[in-house]
């Protein structure tokens, strides 16, 4: 004979009240209705469960034995509500993990932590450089909460919120010959280049990386590095050239006093920068809060009027 959660609630109420009358009142049932439930419980467990004494309904040894399990089941069932409980950032001590490139982290982290200081002082952030081999599995498992960047191969069961699309420019040191006059294609390709490797990260810059490796003479690809920031530091102290996505280039140029040079037509295409998260966590209140927070920051920090600037509309 099967029993339901309502039967277990009646059991727990009887255990607490030790009175059929008081328990029926608490459960908004009549005494006959509660008596029928008690009969069902007795048949299921093969035990009287409660016996009348001079001080009310006393639990049997069997009732006391199962009481802990019943309370655990009722406590667990209370979390299975149609809508999840709201996330309270001000009281949370949750730790979030973001997958983001080095320069993206440099741009985002100060603004994010400043916001968390006032809105979520107990929340901590872990930033991890993306690795194409583990991007999907980290988001699927919850090891990482959100990826920020251009990751076109992340498709299966992945939600995506577009921030903006950007093309490519070059960065050089102040006073570099390219700052006096925009170079033509042959002159540009004949410069010494720093190539940023993005294949391992799964970043869409890998397409531009492959194109540059194809059109820049092999002898002029003087250095390959795994980091946009490293490329900028090299450019700052040499006559080398680095081709980067435009927004990253502008940030690094401002931070390191570099010059931006428009490239001649090279067929590099563009990259789409997005927030990405797994379908499993799309309705998770904490993940939703983090997405809204990141969109608000990125909307202010990138281009006004873009999709990211309308962060409050994030579902």
């Amino acid at each position: 004979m099967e029993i339901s959660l309502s039967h277990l609630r009646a059991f727990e109420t009887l255990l607490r009240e030790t009175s059929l009358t008081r328990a029926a009142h608490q459960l908004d049932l009549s005494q006959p209705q509660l008596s029928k439930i008690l009969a069902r419980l007795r048949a299921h467990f093969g035990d009287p469960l409660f016996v009348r004494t001079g001080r009310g309904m006393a639990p049997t040894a069997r009732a006391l034995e199962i009481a802990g399990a019943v309370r655990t089941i009722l406590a667990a069932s209370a979390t299975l509500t149609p809508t999840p409980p709201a996330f309270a950032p001000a009281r949370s001590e949750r730790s979030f993990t973001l997958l983001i490139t080095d320069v993206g982290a440099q741009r985002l982290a100060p603004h994010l932590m400043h916001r968390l200081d006032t809105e979520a002082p107990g929340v901590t952030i872990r930033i991890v450089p993306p690795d194409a081999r583990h991007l999907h599995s980290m988001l699927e498992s919850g090891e990482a909460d959100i990826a920020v960047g251009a990751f076109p191969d992340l498709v299966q069961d992945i939600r995506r919120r577009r921030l903006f699309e950007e093309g490519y420019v070059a960065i050089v040191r102040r006073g570099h010959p390219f700052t006096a006059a925009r170079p033509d294609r042959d002159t540009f390709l004949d410069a010494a280049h720093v190539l940023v490797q993005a294949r391992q990260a799964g970043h869409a810059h890998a397409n531009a990386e492959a194109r540059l490796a194809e059109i820049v003479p092999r002898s002029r690809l003087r250095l390959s590095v795994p980091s946009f920031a490293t490329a900028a530091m090299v450019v700052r102290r040499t006559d080398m050239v680095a081709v980067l996505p435009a927004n990253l280039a502008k940030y690094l140029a401002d931070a390191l006093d570099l010059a931006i040079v428009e490239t001649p037509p090279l067929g590099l295409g563009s990259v789409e920068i997005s927030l990405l998260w797994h379908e499993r966590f799309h309705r998770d209140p904490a993940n939703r809060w983090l997405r809204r927070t990141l969109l608000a920051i990125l909307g202010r920090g990138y281009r006004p009027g873009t999709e990211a600037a309308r962060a409050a509309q994030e579902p």
Side-chain angles (χ1 to χ4, degrees):
M1 182 177 295
E2 293 186 358
I3 57 173
S4 65
L5 285 174
S6 62
H7 293 106
L8 295 182
R9 290 191 190 97
F11 171 87
E12 195 278 331
T13 305
L14 270 169
L15 194 67
R16 179 165 26 90
E17 297 294 337
T18 66
S19 163
L20 201 65
T21 302
R22 290 197 301 270
H25 179 73
Q26 287 287 328
L27 294 165
D28 197 22
L29 296 173
S30 68
Q31 287 194 37
Q33 287 175 316
L34 183 54
S35 294
K36 288 182 179 180
I37 292 174
L38 181 55
R40 176 71 67 89
L41 287 165
R42 284 168 168 165
H44 178 82
F45 288 106
D47 187 89
L49 297 178
F50 298 93
V51 295
R52 292 186 183 276
T53 68
R55 294 190 294 181
M57 301 288 286
T60 65
R62 177 61 172 153
L64 294 175
E65 179 186 337
I66 65 174
V70 169
R71 286 174 175 142
T72 298
I73 292 170
L74 291 175
S77 71
T79 67
L80 302 177
T81 55
T83 57
F87 178 69
R91 299 192 302 273
S92 177
E93 295 183 352
R94 170 98 176 242
S95 177
F96 294 97
T97 296
L98 303 178
L99 301 174
I100 187 169
T101 62
D102 57 341
V103 177
Q106 291 174 31
R107 300 182 68 187
L108 174 63
H111 301 289
L112 176 59
M113 298 317 297
H114 177 74
R115 185 171 181 128
L116 296 189
D117 281 344
T118 57
E119 294 185 14
V123 167
T124 58
I125 300 294
R126 175 173 171 256
I127 291 178
V128 177
D131 184 330
R133 298 168 298 179
H134 308 299
L135 275 171
H136 188 275
S137 63
M138 290 181 73
L139 291 171
E140 181 182 41
S141 67
E143 183 180 351
D145 297 281
I146 291 177
V148 184
F151 304 108
D153 293 336
L154 274 179
V155 177
Q156 184 178 0
D157 299 322
I158 295 295
R159 293 266 185 161
R160 181 183 300 266
R161 177 65 182 263
R162 182 180 181 274
L163 297 174
F164 58 88
E165 188 171 350
E166 60 182 335
Y168 280 88
V169 296
I171 54 172
V172 296
R173 65 168 178 82
R174 293 284 180 187
H176 189 283
F178 284 179
T179 61
R182 181 181 177 182
D184 59 27
R185 191 175 190 274
D186 290 342
T187 302
F188 184 84
L189 295 178
D190 195 49
H193 283 257
V194 184
L195 186 66
V196 178
Q197 300 171 310
R199 287 189 180 91
Q200 186 171 348
H203 195 280
H205 180 71
N207 295 326
E209 173 195 346
R211 175 62 178 164
L212 288 167
E214 176 186 330
I215 61 177
V216 176
R218 185 180 181 86
S219 63
R220 305 313 292 158
L221 291 174
R222 298 293 309 283
L223 177 67
S224 295
V225 297
S227 158
F228 294 110
T230 301
M233 293 299 294
V234 172
V235 162
R236 186 169 181 257
R237 297 184 178 277
T238 68
D239 278 341
M240 300 183 77
V241 176
V243 177
L244 305 180
N247 274 281
L248 291 182
K250 183 179 186 306
Y251 171 79
L252 289 167
D254 291 344
L256 299 175
D257 194 30
L258 302 173
I260 291 179
V261 176
E262 295 294 327
T263 66
L266 301 175
L268 299 179
S270 61
V271 292
E272 182 179 288
I273 306 299
S274 304
L275 298 184
L276 304 101
W277 62 97
H278 197 274
E279 177 67 33
R280 288 184 59 206
F281 303 100
H282 179 61
R283 292 175 178 80
D284 174 54
N287 193 285
R288 288 170 64 100
W289 170 80
L290 181 60
R291 296 192 316 255
R292 286 193 297 267
T293 299
L294 293 175
L295 282 164
I297 294 169
L298 297 177
R300 289 199 303 268
Y302 288 71
R303 297 177 183 174
T306 64
E307 199 171 345
R310 298 188 291 276
Q313 299 177 11
E314 213 286 314

